[in-house]
């Protein structure tokens, strides 16, 4: 109906009559009001298609046009990709023939002003020229050698055939020319096979060549956006980070003071940014916020900022360096954090060694891709996180490394009891495994025995050196929440001063560090009920894997670390397994940071067994007990005094022999070095008399009296 003209009718009675239409030769006899008149250039109304049919036709036409455009783009895209493949081959061939690679590197070094790189590439180019010249000089000789080889091979083959023919003729098996005839038939067969296969290969070779060129173009070429498939090439997610992208992302944070300040800057916000630095599998940039902006507000908008940068939330880390109004952004390459970091050096290095005092345990990599090695010397440790996030594996990896130091003694309580620590059988002196109240009782007694050992060391003569003792309690929340009570009515669990486990842990954390008696704990879902504030704050190294809330992050790491940007509650549960945030104690932190994120190496149970086996080879045979309390309490000083009897002095060899007779289970493996270590620092050490090493009875008794006096004074205080 759109092709017809309708003259409107006047509805008011006083309206003037319509003007007559101009006369036309083909006009109708009378032009009445409201009459529908066909346009001269159109068809009759009866021939006009209904409106729905016309709309459908236009939709189909538009769809066909889009399909045609898509086909044309696909053809052009494929053709361009093939052309780029040929171009890549040409450029690579030309560079190979003309040393173009070296010239490019030389020009790049000149542009960067890197004199060392420039000199190195110039030297490489000169060596390549000399090697090429030498090959060209040797080419005629090589060709002559090849010709000689072919000639000799041909003559040798003819001689061999002749000998075979003579042998066949002499033995009467066949005629003299039978061998030559067989060889000729074989050669003809080979030529026939080649002739049969040659034609298909010749036909298929252009297709194969085009496919190879297309693959090369896909690998090295760049498709223009206008030729990309629908929707392709138009998403900037994962794009390289540039200063303009960072400023735009900050401007669009829906933070009015920052947006206004950026708009008013004459340099469009460029002055806020430090140089963008490559940092591992991402980049790092410091942003100095304008006056009136708050670092807290930027931290709160982490997800929005990550999306503005074309990244997922977990690919952006925001920390607060020491400089005022400054945030440090670490932006991962798209998808880089989902890639594994590789095996632990404990697994790959068969010559691994450890030193408790001066060494550092290889734990993983930081976000910059640098190795994260941690010092464990005189540091209590706490690792927490949600269940099944890699807590036990992270804690166990540190113990496995320290196992290579034969001086370190381990006493381990695994309150999960599924065999995660079973490989320490023969490496630890105590290994308790199980989740029941009875196991909690045994673990508590193990920690209390550690307290008694700490007190014994504290009472020793100042300057006395002791072997490190590491007490490990995995799933410590089971101990804190245990309802069992002892015979004296005191609970083993709980968070009050009456709790035996709580008080033993606090005593170790208060004074154990000074005498190398350390407590390492692993626990799940930190709360005030299963991880008391005094215990978690008593740990020097505090780390957390993924947790559920910011309050749990603060419990695990402390307010300082979280206020500085530590965010274990933003780690992805399951996807970021093995990734932890540490308060930085014992680690090398970037300047101004109060925490560090580490992607730990994963050591499987099978690999842990192999590593523990190598660690055991560095030690004497260790008897592992399932309970901390031995069958009988051993006091070497009292035993030595007993074997001395009334003798004023006795040779050390005789002392060792009598100790073995007295208690073979304990002293059978003792050597002179063990005896010296026990008595060292007490004033009763072995000394030389008449050319022999002896032990004095009076000195032993004096040491025992001094120890008793120190013990009374300690408890009196």
């Amino acid at each position: 109906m759109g092709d017809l003209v309708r003259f409107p009718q006047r509805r008011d009675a006083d309206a003037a009559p319509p003007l007559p239409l101009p006369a036309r030769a083909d006009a109708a006899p009378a032009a009445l009001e409201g009459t529908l008149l066909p346009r001269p250039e159109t068809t009759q109304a009866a021939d006009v298609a209904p409106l729905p049919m016309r709309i459908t036709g236009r939709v189909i036409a538009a769809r066909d046009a889009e399909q045609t455009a898509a086909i044309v783009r696909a053809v052009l895209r494929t053709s361009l990709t093939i052309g780029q493949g040929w171009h890549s081959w040409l450029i690579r061939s030309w560079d190979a023939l003309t040393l173009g690679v070296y010239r490019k590197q030389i020009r790049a070094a000149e542009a960067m002003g890197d004199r060392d790189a420039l000199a190195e590439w110039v030297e490489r180019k000169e060596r390549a020229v000399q090697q090429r010249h030498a090959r060209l000089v040797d080419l005629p000789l090589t060709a002559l050698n090849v010709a000689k080889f072919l000639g000799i091979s041909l003559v040798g083959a003819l001689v061999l055939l002749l000998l075979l023919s003579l042998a066949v003729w002499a033995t009467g098996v066949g005629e003299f020319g039978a061998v030559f005839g067989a060889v000729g038939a074989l050669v003809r067969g080979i030529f026939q096979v080649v002739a049969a296969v040659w034609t298909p290969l010749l036909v298929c070779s252009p297709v194969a060549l085009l496919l190879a060129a297309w693959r090369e173009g896909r690998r090295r070429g760049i498709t223009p956006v206008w030729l990309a498939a629908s929707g392709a090439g138009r998403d900037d997610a994962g794009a390289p980070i540039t200063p303009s992208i960072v400023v735009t992302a900050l401007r669009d944070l829906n933070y009015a003071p920052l947006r206004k300040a950026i708009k008013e800057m004459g340099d469009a916000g460029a002055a806020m940014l430090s140089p963008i630095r490559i940092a591992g599998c991402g980049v790092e940039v410091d942003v100095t916020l304008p006056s009136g902006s708050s670092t807290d507000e930027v931290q709160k908008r982490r997800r929005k900022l990550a999306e503005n940068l074309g990244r997922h939330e977990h690919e952006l880390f925001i920390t607060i360096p020491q400089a005022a109004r400054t945030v440090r952004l670490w932006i991962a390459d798209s998808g880089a954090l989902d890639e594994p970091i590789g095996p632990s050096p404990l697994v790959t290095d068969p010559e691994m060694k450890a030193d408790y005092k001066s060494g550092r345990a290889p734990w993983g990599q930081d976000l910059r891709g640098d190795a994260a090695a941690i010092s464990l010397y005189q540091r209590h440790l706490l690792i927490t996180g949600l269940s099944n996030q890699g807590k036990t594996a992270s804690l166990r990896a540190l113990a496995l490394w320290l196992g290579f130091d034969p001086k370190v003694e381990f006493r381990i309580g695994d309150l999960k009891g599924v065999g995660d620590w079973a490989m320490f059988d023969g490496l630890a002196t105590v290994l308790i495994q199980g989740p029941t109240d009875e196991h909690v009782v045994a673990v508590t007694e193990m920690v209390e025995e550690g307290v008694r050992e700490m007190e014994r060391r504290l009472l020793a003569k100042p300057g006395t050196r002791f072997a490190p003792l590491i007490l490990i309690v995995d799933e410590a929340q089971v101990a804190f929440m245990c309802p069992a009570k002892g015979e004296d009515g005191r609970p083993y669990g709980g968070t009050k001063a009456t709790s035996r486990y709580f008080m033993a842990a606090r005593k170790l954390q208060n004074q154990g560090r000074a005498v190398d008696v350390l407590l390492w704990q692993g626990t799940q879902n930190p709360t005030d009920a299963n991880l008391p504030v005094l215990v978690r704050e008593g740990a020097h190294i505090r780390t957390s894997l993924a947790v559920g809330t910011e309050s749990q992050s603060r419990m695990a790491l402390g307010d300082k670390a979280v206020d500085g940007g530590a965010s274990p509650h933003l780690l992805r549960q399951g996807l970021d397994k093995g990734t932890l945030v540490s308060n930085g104690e014992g680690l090398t932190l970037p300047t101004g940071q109060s925490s560090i994120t580490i992607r730990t190496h994963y050591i499987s149970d099978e690999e842990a067994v192999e590593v523990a086996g190598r660690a055991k080879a560095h030690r004497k045979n260790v008897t592992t007990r399932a309970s901390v309390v031995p069958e009988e309490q051993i006091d070497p000083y009292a035993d030595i005094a007993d074997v001395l009897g009334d003798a004023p002095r006795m040779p050390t060899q005789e002392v060792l022999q009598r100790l073995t007779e007295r208690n073979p289970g304990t002293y059978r493996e003792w050597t002179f070095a063990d005896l010296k270590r026990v008595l060292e620092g007490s004033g009763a050490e072995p000394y030389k008399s008449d050319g022999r090493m002896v032990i004095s009875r009076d000195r032993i008794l004096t040491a025992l009296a001094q120890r008793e006096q120190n013990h009374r004074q300690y408890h009196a205080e």
Side-chain angles (χ1 to χ4, degrees), residues 168-330:
V168 169
W169 174 74
T171 57
V173 175
E175 297 181 355
F176 177 78
V179 175
F180 285 93
V183 172
L186 177 62
V187 172
R188 283 195 302 273
I190 293 174
F191 274 101
Q192 289 174 356
V193 171
V194 171
V197 176
W198 177 255
T199 301
L201 288 177
L202 195 61
V203 172
C204 295
S205 58
V207 178
L209 193 60
L210 289 175
L211 179 60
W214 178 81
R215 292 185 61 185
E216 178 70 10
R218 287 268 295 181
R219 189 166 65 92
R220 293 184 173 269
I222 299 176
T223 303
V225 176
W226 64 275
L227 272 183
S230 179
R234 302 175 188 177
D235 186 3
D236 60 354
I241 300 299
T242 63
S244 61
I245 289 178
V246 176
V247 173
T248 303
L250 292 167
R251 184 197 65 195
D252 297 339
L253 273 183
N254 296 331
Y255 180 35
L258 181 59
R259 181 176 64 253
K260 181 179 178 182
I262 292 175
K263 288 183 177 180
E264 292 175 353
M265 289 182 181
D267 57 0
M272 296 191 303
L273 307 183
S274 71
I276 297 178
R277 304 175 293 273
I278 301 275
C281 56
V283 297
E284 185 178 73
V285 59
D286 286 350
V287 181
T288 303
L289 301 175
S291 178
S293 303
S294 169
T295 56
D296 291 341
E297 294 298 329
V298 175
Q299 279 187 304
K300 292 177 183 177
R301 294 167 169 81
R302 177 188 176 192
R303 174 174 293 183
K304 179 67 174 177
L305 180 57
E307 292 172 349
N308 291 348
L309 291 167
R311 298 294 190 270
H312 296 292
E313 183 179 11
H314 71 275
E315 294 175 329
L316 170 66
F317 287 81
I318 305 175
T319 53
I320 310 298
Q322 292 178 344
R325 298 196 328 270
T326 301
V327 293
R328 179 168 294 162
L329 308 181
W330 185 86

Side-chain angles (χ1 to χ4, degrees), residues 413-447:
D414 175 16
L415 293 177
K416 185 188 298 180
V418 295
D420 289 337
W421 295 86
M423 67 288 302
F424 279 80
D425 188 3
L427 190 59
T429 55
V430 177
L431 179 59
I432 303 166
Q433 302 180 88
T436 66
D437 290 349
E438 289 75 12
H439 293 99
V440 172
V441 171
V443 168
T444 302
E445 291 174 348
M446 178 189 80
V447 178

Side-chain angles (χ1 to χ4, degrees), residues 274-483:
S274 71
I276 297 178
R277 304 175 293 273
I278 301 275
C281 56
V283 297
E284 185 178 73
V285 59
D286 286 350
V287 181
T288 303
L289 301 175
S291 178
S293 303
S294 169
T295 56
D296 291 341
E297 294 298 329
V298 175
Q299 279 187 304
K300 292 177 183 177
R301 294 167 169 81
R302 177 188 176 192
R303 174 174 293 183
K304 179 67 174 177
L305 180 57
E307 292 172 349
N308 291 348
L309 291 167
R311 298 294 190 270
H312 296 292
E313 183 179 11
H314 71 275
E315 294 175 329
L316 170 66
F317 287 81
I318 305 175
T319 53
I320 310 298
Q322 292 178 344
R325 298 196 328 270
T326 301
V327 293
R328 179 168 294 162
L329 308 181
W330 185 86
I331 308 156
D333 297 335
S334 186
L337 294 183
D338 297 325
E339 298 294 329
I341 64 171
S344 168
L346 291 173
V347 177
T348 59
D349 184 4
E351 304 298 326
M352 175 61 64
K353 295 181 180 180
D355 189 295
Y356 162 74
K357 185 174 182 179
S358 61
R360 288 178 174 266
W363 211 6
Q365 293 180 1
D366 62 16
L367 295 178
R368 293 163 181 79
D370 299 327
I374 185 168
S375 171
L376 303 171
Y377 178 61
Q378 293 189 338
R379 288 180 171 93
H380 300 295
L381 184 146
L382 171 66
I383 295 182
T384 186
L386 297 176
S387 176
N388 195 32
Q389 296 304 299
K391 169 180 54 62
T392 296
S394 301
L395 181 60
R396 187 176 67 186
L398 299 180
L400 284 171
W401 175 80
L402 204 53
F404 285 94
D405 187 339
K407 300 186 299 294
V408 178
E409 178 187 355
F410 293 100
R411 300 178 186 177
I412 301 173
D414 175 16
L415 293 177
K416 185 188 298 180
V418 295
D420 289 337
W421 295 86
M423 67 288 302
F424 279 80
D425 188 3
L427 190 59
T429 55
V430 177
L431 179 59
I432 303 166
Q433 302 180 88
T436 66
D437 290 349
E438 289 75 12
H439 293 99
V440 172
V441 171
V443 168
T444 302
E445 291 174 348
M446 178 189 80
V447 178
E448 289 176 337
E449 175 62 24
V451 173
R452 288 190 288 272
E453 172 64 16
M454 174 193 73
E455 293 173 346
R456 185 186 71 81
R457 296 183 180 193
L458 289 171
L459 293 172
K461 183 179 179 180
T464 305
R465 293 175 296 177
F466 301 99
L469 172 59
I470 309 298
L471 303 169
I472 301 175
V473 181
D474 196 9
E475 307 296 342
Q477 77 279 356
V478 178
F480 283 113
M481 302 181 73
C482 177

Side-chain angles (χ1 to χ4, degrees), residues 661-691:
E661 294 172 353
R662 177 183 179 85
N663 189 341
T666 300
Y667 298 114
R668 181 185 295 111
E669 302 295 333
W670 273 41
T671 64
F672 173 75
D674 295 319
L675 188 61
K676 181 180 178 182
R677 174 178 55 81
V678 168
L679 299 177
E680 188 175 15
S682 65
E685 300 91 340
Y687 65 95
K688 184 171 289 189
S689 175
D690 296 330

